[in-house]
């Protein structure tokens, strides 16, 4: 009998693995619509869609292993990280998807709200929040929209040796800032940023990437706590924020 493995589960969605099939169960069908639409457009490998019966989307498992995990050392080679950078560049050079991402003003407003919540409730030290809010300012500038993945965590990028075999979870795909994808890919793995940028093949503003590291960690903190995740685990969001002090 095949085991049912819970990959991730919280109040909004759950992903189960049964043999070589992933079952994504999502309460918000607009996210699933966006994922299916994006997967039909992207120029890099994605999982095969086996079937869809709302609220479930069935995907074929990708071969091989994730590039790494947040909070754990990555065993992937520098060439694999560079290949991930090259795949991201291919995505960013693709025609824009119809879905619009959040504006700079919307992100800045959310950041102000989350920083106020973190300080008012004593969740994080004031100096830690203040310093990272300053660092995050570098990301809050105009950008030329590109086709972004929108949640390019290293667990969503699969590799076989030095080759990218596919990228998962396109529910946040939209028009957005190219450096946001690069920042999320390297969040908590700053030591691999040079390899990713080398594979990406063009100059990037490292201060903006550092800004996105701080911004994303501050924005995600409350959501992670409320959905049963621990941002204080070694190598995770609190460590990312502390590294900017």
């Amino acid at each position: 009998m095949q085991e049912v493995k819970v990959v991730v589960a919280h109040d909004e969605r759950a992903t189960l693995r049964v043999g070589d099939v992933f079952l994504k169960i999502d309460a918000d069908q607009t996210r699933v619509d966006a994922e299916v639409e994006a997967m039909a457009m992207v120029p890099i490998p994605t999982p095969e869609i086996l079937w869809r019966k709302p609220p479930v989307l069935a995907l074929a498992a990708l071969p091989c292993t994730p590039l790494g995990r947040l909070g754990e050392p990555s065993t992937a080679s520098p060439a694999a990280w560079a290949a991930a950078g090259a795949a991201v560049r291919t995505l960013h050079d693709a025609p824009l998807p119809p879905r619009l991402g959040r504006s700079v003003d919307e992100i800045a407003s959310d950041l102000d709200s989350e920083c106020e919540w973190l300080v008012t409730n004593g969740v994080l030290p004031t100096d830690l929040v203040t310093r990272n809010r300053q660092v995050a300012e570098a990301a809050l500038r105009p950008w030329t929209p590109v086709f972004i993945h929108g949640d390019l965590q290293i667990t969503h990028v699969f590799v076989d040796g030095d080759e990218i075999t596919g990228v998962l979870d396109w529910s946040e795909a939209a028009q957005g800032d190219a450096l946001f994808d690069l920042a999320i890919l390297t969040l908590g793995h700053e030591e691999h940023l040079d390899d990713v940028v080398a594979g990406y093949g063009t100059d990037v503003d490292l201060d903006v990437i550092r800004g996105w590291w701080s911004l994303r960690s501050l924005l995600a903190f409350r959501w992670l706590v409320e959905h049963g995740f621990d941002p204080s685990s070694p190598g995770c969001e609190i460590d990312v924020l502390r590294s900017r002090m």
Side-chain angles (χ1 to χ4, degrees), residues 68-215:
R69 298 186 184 280
L70 186 62
E72 300 177 8
S74 171
T75 59
S77 68
W81 282 90
V88 176
R89 179 63 184 273
T90 299
L91 173 64
H92 292 169
D93 286 342
L96 289 172
R99 187 184 188 190
L100 299 176
R102 292 189 300 163
S103 70
V104 175
D105 289 343
E106 289 171 329
I107 295 170
S109 177
D110 288 347
L111 180 60
D112 288 340
S113 297
E114 290 307 305
C115 288
E116 181 179 1
W117 181 85
L118 290 167
V119 171
T120 301
N121 292 279
V123 178
L124 291 175
T126 300
D127 61 341
L128 186 67
V129 174
T130 300
R131 170 57 181 157
N132 278 276
R133 176 64 181 83
Q134 293 170 345
V135 174
E137 193 67 31
L140 298 174
R141 85 286 175 224
W143 58 71
T144 300
V146 299
F147 192 151
I148 66 167
H149 180 279
D151 189 22
L152 198 61
Q153 303 175 48
I154 53 175
T155 52
H156 294 157
V157 180
F158 277 64
V159 296
D160 180 7
D162 299 338
E163 302 293 329
I164 302 299
T165 58
V167 178
L168 294 172
D169 202 346
W170 293 86
S171 58
E172 304 299 326
Q175 299 181 29
D177 181 16
L179 299 192
F180 177 76
D181 270 351
L182 296 179
I184 300 305
L185 180 64
T186 54
L187 183 76
H189 288 272
E190 185 172 350
E191 69 277 11
H192 296 292
L193 178 58
D194 287 347
D195 296 323
V196 170
V197 171
Y200 193 70
T202 189
D203 291 337
V204 302
D205 189 330
L206 299 183
D207 285 339
V208 172
I209 290 181
R210 295 184 187 102
W212 277 121
W213 287 338
S214 290
L215 199 158

